[in-house]
Amino acid sequence: MVPYMEPASRSQPVLAGLLTALVGFTSSFAVVLAGLRAVGASPAEAASGLLAVCATQALGMLWLARRHRIPLTLAWSTPGAALLASTGIVRGGWPAAVGAFLVVGALIIVTGLWSRLGGLIAAIPAPIAQAMLAGVVLELCLVPARGLAAHPWEVGPILLTWLALLRVARKWAVPGAFAATLVVIGIDAAGHGGPHGVLLPHLVWTTPALTWASLLGLALPLYVVTMAGQNVPGVAVMSSYGYQVPWRETMAVTGIGTVASALAGGHAINLAAITASLAASPDAHPDPRRRWIASWTTGWAGLVLALLSTALTTFVSAAPLDVVGAVAGLALLGTLASSLASALSAAEGREAAAITFVVAASGLNFLGIGAAFWALGAGLLVHAVLPRPSATPRAAADDDGIQEERTRDHDADPDAIPPQPAQQDGKLA
């Protein structure tokens, strides 16, 4: 029997769900558009891809939240979108990128069904995976500084808004910067007759193609950063609040969603990591059994945002790239900081992580294959060559202390990447 709750308590998970959807969308909307455009999508194809990932992640959340009654939140792959932006157009163009998205979806499905593939991802040393992620987001993180030099009157108010909100309301800093961006674009558009383009949501279908460059340079790194940068941390966040993710079904849902959205230009969907705590924490509801309503609400709100995404894409496309890229770079600063901290925190193997970061950030393109692939290969090679010091009991105890400290730090800072948990099926622990 459910005890009587005050009206505010009843509406609390609904408000948390709306906040989760709004923060998740506004914090990385520009990153997704930048990534899709970078790999060859036209404005219409990028708008279609944004619509597709919005809709599939929302439908996946509605299914999983209702079925398992846990506050399980899905998101598009923000690190994956940053990877697209750093990779650029691969051999075969946009159809080859769409083919890579299909491969990523298939690999995610297989990961849920075949534990050995998940084990291979887990076998990649965490510092190397995080260094690769830091390297691919670095380029976008530099855009705000470059944009300020090129368009000071447009980018300046965005940075000031972000800085002010970072001081008084940290989680609203990037959404506030996004709102400031819309105001800046609106003022500029008003002086040029308003935005021009399609406003109603529509999908643009693309026939996929596959090349070795897209498979090695895009599909494989996109799969790795989606798993290491989103799915594994997403499981850890849920575990920290007492929930166990139904791993196989979640991988099946996100993999099928990725495949379904790929033909319309969507790159990947996955477990939410940063925004997951907004729906799973006690702030969503004091009763853990009622928090699933927050993610259920996030799913419905996501469908509404999907319907608005095309008009929003048309609106921001009227602005200079540096203006929109500024808010995308601000959105990824937390990812860059936490990835670098994780990559360089341990003295052992720091050289491998540093090599991985440098190669990923270099923009190297060799044999038509982008830098992320070569960064992963270089990092693993150096890791294999370096001697491995044997762990002493004292060192093992210190490592346990570090893991406990990181778990506590994650509760204080939702941008921090938590330790990797065991992957298992289940509901409420």
Side-chain angles (χ1 to χ4, degrees), residues 84-106:
L84 303 184
S86 69
T87 301
I89 299 177
V90 296
R91 188 172 298 167
W94 175 242
V98 170
F101 303 160
L102 281 173
V103 171
V104 171

Side-chain angles (χ1 to χ4, degrees), residues 346 348 389-403:
E348 295 81 8
S390 57
T392 64
R394 172 70 178 175
D398 289 344
D399 287 343
D400 290 340
I402 290 172
Q403 291 295 333

